[in-house]
Amino acid sequence: MIFAYNKEQVGDTLMVITADDHGSDQTAERRSNVTRIQTVDGTVVGWNFFHISNYLTVSGNGAVELTDEQVDQLNRLIKEAGFSDVLAYDHEPKFVVGYVKTCEKHPDSDHLSITETEVDGGQTLQIVCGAPNIKAGLKVVVAKPGSMMPDGMMIWPGVLRGVESYGMICSARELHLPNAPTKKGILELPADAVVGEAFTIGK
């Protein structure tokens, strides 16, 4: 689940993205200051909470983090608007230190590689990566499915040249880190970086 806020560009609206819409058509139903967004098959993929500053103090620009108490308040707003849905609590870090366990060339690409990358909780994700410096044994930054990059791009499971990919291995530029190199390639972390630790990204 992604919480996003950009008062300057969007206005005083908190956007909550709960699922990938896979590019399908959507319908929106607004009640009071709450709008529920669904695909045509009825899957809820997001919410808009208008005039959110009347109810919550939201700081940040782009992807933001909310406390459990703030999620409780959003659920109260949903209920008061007459919807029966409930937002779940999500405490998983979206950007973590990963370890590239294996790296093999993509069978249908001259620049893509297929990795098995360990993230938090001992979980291993298959991630397709196009960076020239990707290789087994690296410590890297992984954007897991359900994350939002600093430029607003959302990361969901996908298929690249016929191979499933669950996340993205990031470069310093994509993370908006200061003094990021212009040379193409993923960010290589020190060998003593702890796999599974949350990684703080730029805005």
mmCIF file of all heavy atoms in Angstrom, residues 22 24 33 38 41 60 62 70 72 79 92-93 101 117 128 130 136 142 176 183 200:
data_model
loop_
_atom_site.group_PDB
_atom_site.id
_atom_site.type_symbol
_atom_site.label_atom_id
_atom_site.label_comp_id
_atom_site.label_asym_id
_atom_site.label_seq_id
_atom_site.Cartn_x
_atom_site.Cartn_y
_atom_site.Cartn_z
ATOM 1 N N HIS A 22 -3.169 -2.636 -13.394
ATOM 2 C CA HIS A 22 -2.770 -3.322 -14.625
ATOM 3 C C HIS A 22 -3.236 -2.575 -15.877
ATOM 4 O O HIS A 22 -3.453 -3.182 -16.934
ATOM 5 C CB HIS A 22 -3.315 -4.754 -14.655
ATOM 6 C CG HIS A 22 -2.818 -5.603 -13.523
ATOM 7 N ND1 HIS A 22 -1.524 -6.078 -13.456
ATOM 8 C CD2 HIS A 22 -3.440 -6.048 -12.395
ATOM 9 C CE1 HIS A 22 -1.374 -6.785 -12.354
ATOM 10 N NE2 HIS A 22 -2.507 -6.776 -11.683
ATOM 11 N N SER A 24 -6.048 -1.218 -16.480
ATOM 12 C CA SER A 24 -7.445 -1.446 -16.839
ATOM 13 C C SER A 24 -8.290 -0.204 -16.573
ATOM 14 O O SER A 24 -7.874 0.720 -15.872
ATOM 15 C CB SER A 24 -7.996 -2.629 -16.041
ATOM 16 O OG SER A 24 -7.926 -2.369 -14.649
ATOM 17 N N ASN A 33 -15.776 13.656 1.301
ATOM 18 C CA ASN A 33 -14.400 13.948 0.888
ATOM 19 C C ASN A 33 -13.585 12.684 0.615
ATOM 20 O O ASN A 33 -12.350 12.720 0.619
ATOM 21 C CB ASN A 33 -13.692 14.782 1.957
ATOM 22 C CG ASN A 33 -14.162 16.219 1.967
ATOM 23 O OD1 ASN A 33 -14.473 16.790 0.919
ATOM 24 N ND2 ASN A 33 -14.227 16.819 3.147
ATOM 25 N N GLN A 38 -12.021 1.888 -8.312
ATOM 26 C CA GLN A 38 -12.104 0.458 -8.581
ATOM 27 C C GLN A 38 -11.871 0.179 -10.061
ATOM 28 O O GLN A 38 -12.118 1.032 -10.913
ATOM 29 C CB GLN A 38 -13.479 -0.095 -8.201
ATOM 30 C CG GLN A 38 -13.841 0.011 -6.733
ATOM 31 C CD GLN A 38 -15.256 -0.469 -6.475
ATOM 32 O OE1 GLN A 38 -16.212 0.223 -6.796
ATOM 33 N NE2 GLN A 38 -15.389 -1.659 -5.908
ATOM 34 N N ASP A 41 -13.856 -4.762 -12.736
ATOM 35 C CA ASP A 41 -14.242 -6.030 -12.113
ATOM 36 C C ASP A 41 -14.500 -5.888 -10.616
ATOM 37 O O ASP A 41 -14.754 -6.875 -9.925
ATOM 38 C CB ASP A 41 -13.200 -7.122 -12.371
ATOM 39 C CG ASP A 41 -11.856 -6.836 -11.698
ATOM 40 O OD1 ASP A 41 -11.730 -5.793 -11.019
ATOM 41 O OD2 ASP A 41 -10.929 -7.654 -11.857
ATOM 42 N N GLY A 60 5.614 15.862 4.049
ATOM 43 C CA GLY A 60 6.370 15.190 3.011
ATOM 44 C C GLY A 60 5.822 15.511 1.644
ATOM 45 O O GLY A 60 4.793 16.191 1.486
ATOM 46 N N GLY A 62 5.447 13.375 -2.049
ATOM 47 C CA GLY A 62 5.630 12.087 -2.707
ATOM 48 C C GLY A 62 5.110 10.993 -1.807
ATOM 49 O O GLY A 62 4.079 11.153 -1.140
ATOM 50 N N GLN A 70 -3.045 7.292 12.317
ATOM 51 C CA GLN A 70 -3.507 8.001 11.125
ATOM 52 C C GLN A 70 -4.280 7.071 10.194
ATOM 53 O O GLN A 70 -5.276 7.485 9.592
ATOM 54 C CB GLN A 70 -2.316 8.629 10.402
ATOM 55 C CG GLN A 70 -1.717 9.811 11.151
ATOM 56 C CD GLN A 70 -0.469 10.343 10.483
ATOM 57 O OE1 GLN A 70 0.411 9.578 10.078
ATOM 58 N NE2 GLN A 70 -0.374 11.653 10.355
ATOM 59 N N ASP A 72 -6.037 4.577 11.263
ATOM 60 C CA ASP A 72 -7.322 4.467 11.956
ATOM 61 C C ASP A 72 -8.250 5.619 11.561
ATOM 62 O O ASP A 72 -9.458 5.413 11.339
ATOM 63 C CB ASP A 72 -7.117 4.484 13.476
ATOM 64 C CG ASP A 72 -6.543 3.181 14.022
ATOM 65 O OD1 ASP A 72 -6.631 2.160 13.322
ATOM 66 O OD2 ASP A 72 -6.005 3.203 15.141
ATOM 67 N N LYS A 79 -15.560 4.885 6.773
ATOM 68 C CA LYS A 79 -16.816 4.422 7.360
ATOM 69 C C LYS A 79 -17.849 5.534 7.392
ATOM 70 O O LYS A 79 -19.025 5.314 7.053
ATOM 71 C CB LYS A 79 -16.546 3.895 8.769
ATOM 72 C CG LYS A 79 -17.779 3.313 9.451
ATOM 73 C CD LYS A 79 -17.431 2.727 10.816
ATOM 74 C CE LYS A 79 -18.665 2.135 11.484
ATOM 75 N NZ LYS A 79 -18.348 1.547 12.812
ATOM 76 N N GLU A 92 5.753 -3.057 6.497
ATOM 77 C CA GLU A 92 6.917 -3.561 5.767
ATOM 78 C C GLU A 92 7.678 -2.416 5.116
ATOM 79 O O GLU A 92 7.076 -1.575 4.446
ATOM 80 C CB GLU A 92 6.478 -4.540 4.667
ATOM 81 C CG GLU A 92 6.399 -5.970 5.101
ATOM 82 C CD GLU A 92 6.320 -6.913 3.910
ATOM 83 O OE1 GLU A 92 6.675 -6.500 2.785
ATOM 84 O OE2 GLU A 92 5.896 -8.050 4.120
ATOM 85 N N PRO A 93 9.004 -2.363 5.289
ATOM 86 C CA PRO A 93 9.767 -1.358 4.549
ATOM 87 C C PRO A 93 9.709 -1.662 3.064
ATOM 88 O O PRO A 93 9.742 -2.837 2.655
ATOM 89 C CB PRO A 93 11.186 -1.514 5.107
ATOM 90 C CG PRO A 93 11.245 -2.914 5.620
ATOM 91 C CD PRO A 93 9.865 -3.226 6.116
ATOM 92 N N LYS A 101 21.992 -13.103 -4.869
ATOM 93 C CA LYS A 101 22.484 -14.467 -4.660
ATOM 94 C C LYS A 101 22.922 -15.121 -5.979
ATOM 95 O O LYS A 101 23.934 -15.834 -6.022
ATOM 96 C CB LYS A 101 21.392 -15.300 -3.998
ATOM 97 C CG LYS A 101 20.983 -14.787 -2.625
ATOM 98 C CD LYS A 101 19.736 -15.462 -2.102
ATOM 99 C CE LYS A 101 19.952 -16.928 -1.798
ATOM 100 N NZ LYS A 101 18.735 -17.518 -1.162
ATOM 101 N N THR A 117 17.438 -12.353 -5.597
ATOM 102 C CA THR A 117 17.948 -11.370 -4.649
ATOM 103 C C THR A 117 17.238 -11.504 -3.308
ATOM 104 O O THR A 117 16.009 -11.407 -3.233
ATOM 105 C CB THR A 117 17.765 -9.937 -5.200
ATOM 106 O OG1 THR A 117 18.461 -9.832 -6.455
ATOM 107 C CG2 THR A 117 18.315 -8.908 -4.238
ATOM 108 N N VAL A 128 14.432 -8.932 -12.547
ATOM 109 C CA VAL A 128 15.131 -8.716 -13.807
ATOM 110 C C VAL A 128 15.765 -7.332 -13.763
ATOM 111 O O VAL A 128 15.101 -6.349 -13.427
ATOM 112 C CB VAL A 128 14.169 -8.846 -14.997
ATOM 113 C CG1 VAL A 128 14.906 -8.568 -16.309
ATOM 114 C CG2 VAL A 128 13.537 -10.235 -15.028
ATOM 115 N N GLY A 130 18.605 -4.486 -15.676
ATOM 116 C CA GLY A 130 19.309 -4.113 -16.900
ATOM 117 C C GLY A 130 20.613 -3.382 -16.674
ATOM 118 O O GLY A 130 21.227 -2.907 -17.627
ATOM 119 N N ALA A 136 26.350 -11.428 -9.184
ATOM 120 C CA ALA A 136 26.135 -12.133 -7.929
ATOM 121 C C ALA A 136 27.141 -11.654 -6.888
ATOM 122 O O ALA A 136 28.287 -11.329 -7.210
ATOM 123 C CB ALA A 136 26.267 -13.631 -8.137
ATOM 124 N N VAL A 142 16.909 -2.575 -2.986
ATOM 125 C CA VAL A 142 15.769 -3.155 -3.692
ATOM 126 C C VAL A 142 14.512 -2.364 -3.371
ATOM 127 O O VAL A 142 14.189 -2.136 -2.195
ATOM 128 C CB VAL A 142 15.571 -4.628 -3.302
ATOM 129 C CG1 VAL A 142 14.316 -5.198 -3.969
ATOM 130 C CG2 VAL A 142 16.796 -5.458 -3.684
ATOM 131 N N HIS A 176 17.407 9.250 -6.023
ATOM 132 C CA HIS A 176 17.594 10.686 -5.771
ATOM 133 C C HIS A 176 18.604 10.934 -4.653
ATOM 134 O O HIS A 176 18.420 11.832 -3.818
ATOM 135 C CB HIS A 176 16.268 11.367 -5.449
ATOM 136 C CG HIS A 176 15.392 11.558 -6.657
ATOM 137 N ND1 HIS A 176 14.321 12.419 -6.675
ATOM 138 C CD2 HIS A 176 15.401 10.984 -7.896
ATOM 139 C CE1 HIS A 176 13.722 12.365 -7.855
ATOM 140 N NE2 HIS A 176 14.369 11.502 -8.609
ATOM 141 N N LYS A 183 27.017 7.933 -14.521
ATOM 142 C CA LYS A 183 27.259 6.678 -15.217
ATOM 143 C C LYS A 183 26.154 5.683 -14.891
ATOM 144 O O LYS A 183 25.736 5.543 -13.744
ATOM 145 C CB LYS A 183 28.616 6.107 -14.804
ATOM 146 C CG LYS A 183 29.012 4.851 -15.553
ATOM 147 C CD LYS A 183 30.392 4.380 -15.104
ATOM 148 C CE LYS A 183 30.797 3.091 -15.810
ATOM 149 N NZ LYS A 183 32.133 2.625 -15.351
ATOM 150 N N THR A 200 16.761 4.401 3.471
ATOM 151 C CA THR A 200 16.079 5.692 3.346
ATOM 152 C C THR A 200 16.434 6.324 2.014
ATOM 153 O O THR A 200 17.600 6.494 1.677
ATOM 154 C CB THR A 200 16.499 6.638 4.486
ATOM 155 O OG1 THR A 200 16.186 6.026 5.743
ATOM 156 C CG2 THR A 200 15.774 7.970 4.382
#
